Amino acid sequence: MMIDKIGGIKPLTNVQSSRRTNNTSKVDFGSDSIDVSDEAKKMAEAYYLKQIADETPDVRADLVAQIKEKIKDPSYLNADVINSAADHIMEAYGL
């Protein structure tokens, strides 16, 4: 004579696992926090700025075209303009 099992092979295991999942839903994750160091913040900013620099074209064609048009005018290149350009170059190099 053969008796079939009622409720599956391991009914006790199924009840225990369902109890475990019910208990884990009561965990409060609201108390977690994270602190980011100043060094990590600076590295993140540097990474972001590098991405912007990589996406920015090296030559701004619109400005180059404007300057070429200005240079064609003979009255544009005078001592004031040359001194101003030289001052800007010196400032860019920190001199």
Side-chain angles (χ1 to χ4, degrees):
M1 174 172 167
M2 181 87 160
I3 300 176
D4 290 333
K5 295 181 182 178
I6 299 173
I9 298 174
K10 296 183 180 180
L12 185 58
T13 306
N14 292 338
V15 172
Q16 288 174 346
S17 66
S18 67
R19 285 184 185 164
R20 283 188 205 129
T21 54
N22 290 340
N23 290 338
T24 57
S25 64
K26 296 178 185 177
V27 175
D28 181 22
F29 291 109
S31 62
D32 290 342
S33 66
I34 185 170
D35 292 324
V36 180
S37 68
D38 290 336
E39 182 182 1
K41 290 177 186 176
K42 288 178 185 177
M43 290 177 69
E45 183 180 3
Y47 176 77
Y48 174 71
L49 292 175
K50 183 184 179 312
Q51 282 184 325
I52 292 173
D54 289 344
E55 294 171 359
T56 305
D58 290 336
V59 177
R60 295 191 44 198
D62 56 337
L63 292 178
V64 172
Q66 289 176 0
I67 293 171
K68 283 183 178 181
E69 288 300 316
K70 287 181 180 180
I71 291 175
K72 287 180 183 178
D73 182 15
S75 64
Y76 178 73
L77 289 177
N78 57 36
D80 293 334
V81 172
I82 293 171
N83 288 335
S84 175
D87 289 341
H88 281 66
I89 292 170
M90 298 286 278
E91 287 177 14
Y93 287 106
L95 301 172

